[in-house]
Amino acid sequence: MDVLLVSTYELGHQPVHLASPAAALRAAGHSVRCLDLSVDAWEAEAAWWAEAVALSVPMHTAMRLAVRAARELRGVRPALPLAFYGLYAPVSRDLTVRGVADAAIGGEYEPALVRWVDAVAEGGAAASSEAPVVELGRTEFRVPTRNLLPPLDRYAHLQVDGEERPVGAVEASHGCAHECRHCPIPVWYHGRIRLVPRDVVLADIEQLVRMGARHVTFADPDFLNGWRHSLRLVREMHGAFPDLTFDCTTKVEHVLRHADLWPELARSGCLFVVSAFETMNDEVLARLDKGHTAADAARAVEVLRPAGIEIRPSFLPFTPWTTPTDLVDIIDFVVDADLVGNVDPVQYTIRLLLPEGSLLLEHPDIRPHLGPYDAEALTYTWRAEQPAMDALQERLAKMVERSAADGEGVVAAFLDVNAAVREAVGQRDALDVRALTAGSVEGRPRLTEPWFC
């Protein structure tokens, strides 16, 4: 059967969630094409070539874009079998399964996706079931098929030492051992992980290097969930490709718990670590069940920087409980820890998402703030305890978007955010641009595309 796999957004990377299912479907005897709408437009010929289409939805932004793409496709070929697969596929059943797709497959999706395509090929009903399928019992992993995808030079690059280097993204594990209440992963994985065999990951890295990659992003939800597995993988990767650098994502508590690993990881090519700091308000961190405090976040910087590794924090500054003072605390922390150049300005604007099944919906503190479910936005609506915070979030989001469109640098965008936040608390003190520029931006490794979920 002719199957078209479609990606809409994968954090600016060449999409592994096209390459991986492509390998599984081809092994099952199907013909596969891949289309990445983040870099290419809809191809009319491919849409008419396909006998079935599956859209990758590994995150919230991808899901919203995929729903739009599926509706467009339905307008052209209303009877074409269509499925969503990935972390967000089971979210908002009325909008996805009953609205624009015949099937929704989450978890370790490859086996169920292959079964769905097999059933369609055999003339069965396009819909696998009225309810989404969430499969976790996967045991077979194949090396992703990368030759069906656009070249790496069309995706995010590493910016370091005055040059830009091609980047490839791989996954060494799926799921997460933690159950942070605001995260969509534990809704389906329930604190479990699946390790991708090292030989599969290394073979994928090898083909990325042949394609020109000089840096690898480990796109696992948390690279140190299976730290022994990850450490052995890094050692083997560094032995095979000693000039290859990498970055990874891990929780603050893992940065601290495995402090002894970072010197070796740095020697093996680790340039920076992404970590979800979220906020400097310990009460909010406790509600989110993050497993760390504001003081822990500061210690994480102190652990990594002496090893030669920068941290790139992500933040969740806007929750129902956020106050203007909380935002000032984030700004002050970023300045005091010399992290201005490490934080993409969009991070100062992120607003809490509450998808269906979110563990945070069970927390009593969220109930007074909840509104109806917004099927288009794929989240329950909510209002802040302080109504002015909702308006401030919208103001900052427009400010940062305008700054990016105008090509302003990180420092200029940060100063605009700082001014707006301090105005919200009645402060008028300014920051010294020269003090921020010296040491906060130059030489800090970063990817050329800011990411958000």
Side-chain angles (χ1 to χ4, degrees):
M1 166 161 272
D2 296 335
V3 184
L4 178 64
L5 298 178
V6 180
S7 176
T8 58
Y9 177 68
E10 204 164 303
L11 301 177
H13 294 299
Q14 187 193 64
V16 67
H17 291 286
L18 291 189
S20 181
L25 287 166
R26 292 177 83 180
H30 300 289
S31 178
V32 180
R33 291 188 187 181
C34 294
L35 175 62
D36 185 358
L37 294 178
S38 73
V39 296
D40 285 318
W42 264 112
E43 298 176 2
E45 189 274 334
W48 283 102
W49 165 85
E51 297 174 282
V53 173
L55 295 99
S56 168
V57 289
M59 59 201 68
H60 182 268
T61 299
M63 183 64 174
R64 294 193 66 184
L65 294 172
V67 169
R68 187 184 310 164
R71 286 174 175 162
E72 293 177 6
L73 188 57
R74 280 285 190 232
V76 177
R77 296 191 61 188
L80 182 66
L82 190 153
F84 290 154
Y85 65 91
L87 182 65
Y88 257 81
V91 172
S92 192
R93 185 177 73 180
D94 286 344
L95 182 62
T96 57
V97 178
R98 296 175 183 169
V100 292
D102 301 302
I105 305 165
E108 300 296 298
Y109 55 77
E110 276 96 339
L113 180 60
V114 170
R115 289 197 303 271
W116 178 76
V117 172
D118 287 344
V120 174
E122 293 170 3
S128 57
S129 68
E130 197 169 288
V133 173
V134 179
E135 182 162 318
L136 297 178
R138 179 182 180 192
T139 58
E140 185 177 25
F141 293 82
R142 297 183 180 276
V143 178
T145 299
R146 298 275 181 177
N147 61 2
L148 301 179
L149 303 177
L152 294 179
D153 61 13
R154 299 188 65 192
Y155 293 95
H157 283 54
L158 172 74
Q159 198 169 65
V160 67
D161 296 334
E163 65 172 347
E164 293 186 357
R165 304 173 184 173
V167 176
V170 301
E171 292 182 332
S173 64
H174 302 155
C176 188
H178 301 274
E179 297 186 84
C180 302
R181 291 192 181 100
H182 63 304
C183 178
I185 295 172
V187 175
W188 312 113
Y189 279 85
H190 307 292
R192 289 172 285 180
I193 62 173
R194 295 290 182 272
L195 300 180
V196 182
R198 291 199 311 282
D199 61 337
V200 172
V201 182
L202 290 167
D204 194 19
I205 291 171
E206 181 179 1
Q207 65 179 342
L208 285 168
V209 170
R210 289 200 303 268
M211 295 173 69
R214 297 173 58 196
H215 181 88
V216 166
T217 290
F218 286 102
D220 312 36
D222 195 307
F223 191 56
L224 294 186
N225 269 326
W227 67 270
R228 292 181 180 85
H229 169 73
S230 298
L231 183 59
R232 287 195 293 267
L233 176 57
V234 166
R235 286 171 175 167
E236 293 181 44
M237 179 182 72
H238 184 60
F241 309 106
D243 296 327
L244 194 65
T245 57
F246 72 93
D247 68 87
C248 62
T249 298
T250 195
K251 286 171 64 68
V252 168
E253 64 183 275
H254 285 314
V255 173
L256 301 179
R257 183 182 304 158
H258 301 294
D260 58 318
L261 299 183
W262 296 112
E264 179 180 353
L265 292 175
R267 292 192 299 271
S268 299
C270 185
L271 296 183
F272 65 89
V273 170
V274 176
S275 193
F277 284 12
E278 312 298 21
T279 179
M280 295 294 110
N281 184 319
D282 285 346
E283 291 184 1
V284 175
L285 289 170
R287 288 187 179 108
L288 302 179
D289 199 13
K290 282 300 301 180
H292 75 261
T293 64
D296 291 333
R299 283 194 291 273
V301 180
E302 296 168 357
V303 166
L304 290 173
R305 191 164 276 162
I309 299 173
E310 286 296 323
I311 199 159
R312 294 194 67 84
S314 62
F315 288 103
L316 180 60
F318 289 93
T319 71
W321 313 284
T322 300
T323 68
T325 302
D326 292 337
L327 299 182
V328 172
D329 289 343
I330 291 174
I331 294 291
D332 287 346
F333 171 78
V334 168
V335 173
D336 293 343
D338 189 15
L339 293 173
V340 172
N342 298 44
V343 180
D344 292 320
V346 69
Q347 294 295 328
Y348 302 115
T349 74
I350 302 298
R351 181 179 170 91
L352 173 69
L353 294 171
L354 293 170
E356 284 186 339
S358 170
L359 302 185
L360 197 54
L361 295 172
E362 302 171 2
H363 199 289
D365 290 355
I366 198 75
R367 292 171 189 160
H369 309 284
L370 277 180
Y373 183 74
D374 185 338
E376 292 292 329
L378 302 175
T379 180
Y380 281 91
T381 57
W382 56 266
R383 291 185 177 275
E385 283 183 356
Q386 298 190 21
M389 298 306 298
D390 292 329
L392 180 58
Q393 189 275 333
E394 292 182 9
R395 179 186 176 191
L396 293 183
K398 291 177 181 177
M399 183 184 300
V400 167
E401 183 178 358
R402 184 173 59 250
S403 176
D406 294 343
E408 292 185 352
V410 172
V411 171
F414 173 81
L415 290 173
D416 288 342
V417 169
N418 169 73
V421 168
R422 294 192 185 281
E423 179 184 331
V425 295
Q427 296 180 6
R428 300 292 180 181
D429 52 323
L431 292 172
D432 188 338
V433 178
R434 293 169 300 175
L436 291 179
T437 304
S440 291
V441 177
E442 296 300 325
R444 299 289 169 84
R446 60 181 294 271
L447 298 182
T448 53
E449 181 168 334
W451 67 267
F452 50 91
C453 291

